Amino acid sequence: MQVEEIIPRYYDSNVYIINKKIVIDTGMTEASVLRGIEEVMPIEDIELIILTHAHYDHSGCANALLSRSHAKLAIHEADAPFLSDDTLSSALSFGSKAACPPADILYKGGEKIPIGLNEEGIMEYLEVIHTPGHTVGCICLYEANSKTLFSGDTVFSDGGIGRSDFRISEPEKMTVSIDKLTKLDVKNLYPGHGLPTIGNANRSIELSKMMSARMNP
Ligand SMILES: [Zn+2]
Ligand SMILES: [Zn+2]
């Protein structure tokens, strides 16, 4: 699996490009995100946009990418209604309006999204893991062959965790969700904000679980 990262501006989420066809989270600052993606691949070639959750800092540029490509938009079904909600998507907090169109694909968790053959000719998949807490419909995406986890705003590098005090949060589920992630073998962690952890990310996720147990008892 090939991962490219767009370095975000300000409070934008990280934007990841997988195998030059799938985009995970879109950020919200249109000019810099479009420019960043164009340096890696033509925007019209994007096939699928997966949002780890509905927050505007992750979904704000989805409309711009969808209008320039034939990409499908995918998100967990529990977060889908918030995409067009100025308040619940937190768009208003960023001084914006939620202009995201309805999603084409709704996940429940457990789906395996084929992403193509790796260098050894093995088909690779992103597995959808439902991790409610930060929002009710947060997902993480795990690629087992390369032991890579895209964690959205559920866990960050160095033991960080996402806020769980939004109206659409479920703080009581945060620790259980992170516990699910500790059952995976994660080498590379690509979070929704901040730097990735390349190497042994299991320790970082263990620390996140301890942090969540303290903050969301
Ligand atoms: Zn975020
Ligand atoms: Zn968020």
Side-chain angles (χ1 to χ4, degrees):
M1 179 179 56
Q2 200 187 344
V3 181
E4 264 130 339
E5 184 188 355
I6 310 298
I7 307 300
R9 302 285 296 268
Y10 314 112
Y11 294 106
D12 280 60
S13 73
N14 293 334
V15 178
Y16 299 109
I17 300 173
I18 312 301
N19 293 349
K20 293 193 166 54
K21 60 181 181 182
I22 297 173
V23 171
I24 300 178
D25 286 337
T26 71
M28 60 180 168
T29 308
E30 205 171 298
S32 64
V33 168
L34 294 184
R35 197 178 327 117
I37 295 176
E38 271 162 355
E39 281 169 14
V40 175
M41 64 174 290
I43 288 172
E44 61 191 39
D45 290 354
I46 301 172
E47 294 175 14
L48 177 65
I49 299 167
I50 306 173
L51 302 175
T52 58
H53 60 295
H55 274 156
Y56 185 77
D57 54 324
H58 298 249
S59 63
C61 288
N63 196 27
L65 298 179
L66 291 166
S67 64
R68 290 165 174 79
S69 68
H70 299 288
K72 298 266 189 260
L73 181 66
I75 190 167
H76 191 276
E77 60 180 5
D79 258 33
F82 313 138
L83 284 174
S84 56
D85 189 307
D86 295 336
T87 305
L88 297 180
S89 72
S90 297
L92 284 178
S93 316
F94 295 105
S96 279
K97 297 218 155 246
C100 194
D104 304 290
I105 301 168
L106 299 179
Y107 298 133
K108 292 176 186 296
E111 293 84 356
K112 289 191 168 181
I113 307 154
I115 58 170
L117 302 174
N118 70 4
E119 285 166 356
E120 288 102 54
I122 298 167
M123 179 58 85
E124 294 186 325
Y125 300 86
L126 288 174
E127 184 182 347
V128 178
I129 303 166
H130 185 205
T131 50
H134 177 71
T135 69
V136 293
C138 269
I139 57 169
C140 294
L141 298 157
Y142 182 63
E143 199 289 297
N145 197 52
S146 59
K147 300 180 179 170
T148 298
L149 185 72
F150 299 90
S151 61
D153 286 359
T154 298
V155 298
F156 304 119
S157 287
D158 303 319
I161 59 171
R163 283 173 55 186
S164 52
D165 59 345
F166 298 98
R167 263 169 67 194
I168 59 172
S169 294
E170 282 186 302
E172 68 282 7
K173 295 194 177 165
M174 193 71 167
T175 306
V176 176
S177 289
I178 299 175
D179 185 60
K180 266 191 219 175
L181 303 179
T182 64
K183 305 290 192 283
L184 305 169
D185 187 11
V186 182
K187 209 167 113 195
N188 303 324
L189 177 71
Y190 290 98
H193 299 273
L195 295 173
T197 300
I198 304 300
N200 180 9
N202 289 322
R203 176 72 186 145
S204 174
I205 298 171
E206 280 292 342
L207 287 172
S208 296
K209 189 172 103 176
M210 286 162 61
M211 170 78 85
S212 177
R214 273 205 303 274
M215 294 182 64
N216 305 295

